[in-house]
Amino acid sequence: MTLLEIENLSVNYGAIQAVRGLSLTVQEGEVVTLIGANGAGKTTTLRAVSRLLRPVAGQIRFAGRDITRAPADQAVRLGIAQSPEGRQVLARQSVQDNLELGAYTRKGNFRADLYEMYERFPRLGERRTQLAGTLSGGEQQMLAIARALMSRPKLLLLDEPSLGLAPIIVREIFSIIRELNEQGVTILLVEQNARLAMNASHRTYVLEAGQLTFSGVSADLVNDERVLHAYLGG
Ligand code: ATP
């Protein structure tokens, strides 16, 4: 089943055309990677899907429903959650408060989910009362992912989860991505680290200056010179 379908999407910031006529799909159960150089429009695409930006043209469908103009909180309720670029955890709130924030659209008891997160991310459990701003970069990234998971998403949008992290932590983050996917979470991943992202994903789309240049099965693209060219910015 097609979970996410983007058709002819265009997003502008004033006179800047950040995304131009982009079409892509994400099937249920997939990990899909979006790569491209700085400023290619990757973050803009994710923010349009999570309904934080309004497209000037095109359509976004999620589980068959047109969400192009849906408010952001409805996107969360429908099952879309984003772990943003730069983590954006609330530094002066505790780890647990940050996690509870991720469940804001949910009614009822989510205590079980908190414990599930602490089981999956033991370091967050150990630091549950600590202010999020005191965590290491890797721990903050895990918190950002866990916070997104608290809404029980069908589609997880991950924006640059490896940014600024040491290689050993990056490996850990990617093994979590694999694990989440094995447990049924569909993932749309934006990464600068193209090789790593392609190794962890089923399919890859390459963006250049707001437009899709090509796409394919990740395993076929890993050694493709055009990919290297695209994400290095030509
Ligand atoms: P990066 O890896 O640097 O985040 P990206 O592929 O995610 O790159 P976007 O952040 O989506 O790229 O940016 C796409 C284009 O839109 C760029 O030209 C960028 O300068 C521009 N842009 C992004 N955000 C804004 C904004 N708030 N106001 C004006 N222009 C913006």
Side-chain angles (χ1 to χ4, degrees):
M1 184 191 101
T2 304
L3 190 57
L4 176 69
E5 192 172 8
I6 298 178
E7 216 181 306
N8 269 315
L9 180 75
S10 295
V11 187
N12 297 351
Y13 300 99
I16 298 169
Q17 298 181 300
V19 172
R20 294 180 286 169
L22 173 70
S23 297
L24 67 78
T25 59
V26 180
Q27 305 298 316
E28 200 168 23
E30 271 191 316
V31 178
V32 170
T33 297
L34 197 54
I35 59 170
N38 278 332
K42 306 178 299 293
T43 295
T44 302
T45 302
L46 291 192
R47 289 175 61 82
V49 173
S50 56
R51 305 298 313 109
L52 297 168
L53 285 175
R54 178 187 291 262
V56 289
Q59 215 185 35
I60 304 169
R61 278 188 295 276
F62 181 71
R65 182 197 288 242
D66 184 351
I67 60 157
T68 316
R69 274 160 196 83
D73 64 326
Q74 194 189 343
V76 178
R77 278 192 190 89
L78 289 172
I80 300 173
Q82 181 162 3
S83 167
E85 185 172 7
R87 354 265 189 232
Q88 296 181 25
V89 298
L90 296 180
R92 290 162 177 277
Q93 305 273 326
S94 72
V95 166
Q96 185 142 325
D97 287 345
N98 272 272
L99 289 177
E100 287 179 2
L101 198 74
Y104 80 103
T105 56
R106 288 179 48 193
K107 297 185 192 80
N109 200 336
F110 46 78
R111 194 134 295 266
D113 299 65
L114 275 178
Y115 288 116
E116 200 185 308
M117 292 310 148
Y118 293 148
E119 230 166 77
R120 186 191 297 280
F121 305 96
R123 282 207 298 278
L124 296 183
E126 289 159 22
R127 290 161 172 66
R128 72 185 83 179
T129 61
Q130 221 170 291
L131 298 185
T134 67
L135 301 179
S136 71
E139 290 162 354
Q140 288 190 18
Q141 183 59 60
M142 287 175 199
L143 179 56
I145 294 174
R147 180 181 57 187
L149 291 173
M150 285 296 288
S151 66
R152 293 213 184 153
K154 296 189 182 83
L155 175 67
L156 180 62
L157 308 173
L158 294 176
D159 198 349
E160 305 269 8
S162 79
L163 195 71
L165 302 180
I168 186 167
I169 311 293
V170 172
R171 276 200 293 279
E172 207 175 317
I173 299 280
F174 271 82
S175 82
I176 289 165
I177 290 172
R178 275 202 195 83
E179 232 175 80
L180 288 172
N181 181 242
E182 278 162 18
Q183 289 161 7
V185 184
T186 304
I187 296 170
L188 179 56
L189 171 67
V190 161
E191 256 295 332
Q192 288 283 327
N193 195 330
R195 183 169 293 273
L196 202 60
M198 283 189 276
N199 281 332
S201 63
H202 301 97
R203 289 186 304 116
T204 294
Y205 288 89
V206 182
L207 264 183
E208 263 179 286
Q211 288 181 301
L212 189 70
T213 47
F214 55 97
S215 63
V217 172
S218 300
D220 297 340
L221 293 180
V222 174
N223 295 310
D224 193 314
E225 296 243 324
R226 293 170 303 170
V227 174
L228 198 73
H229 181 82
Y231 78 81
L232 292 177

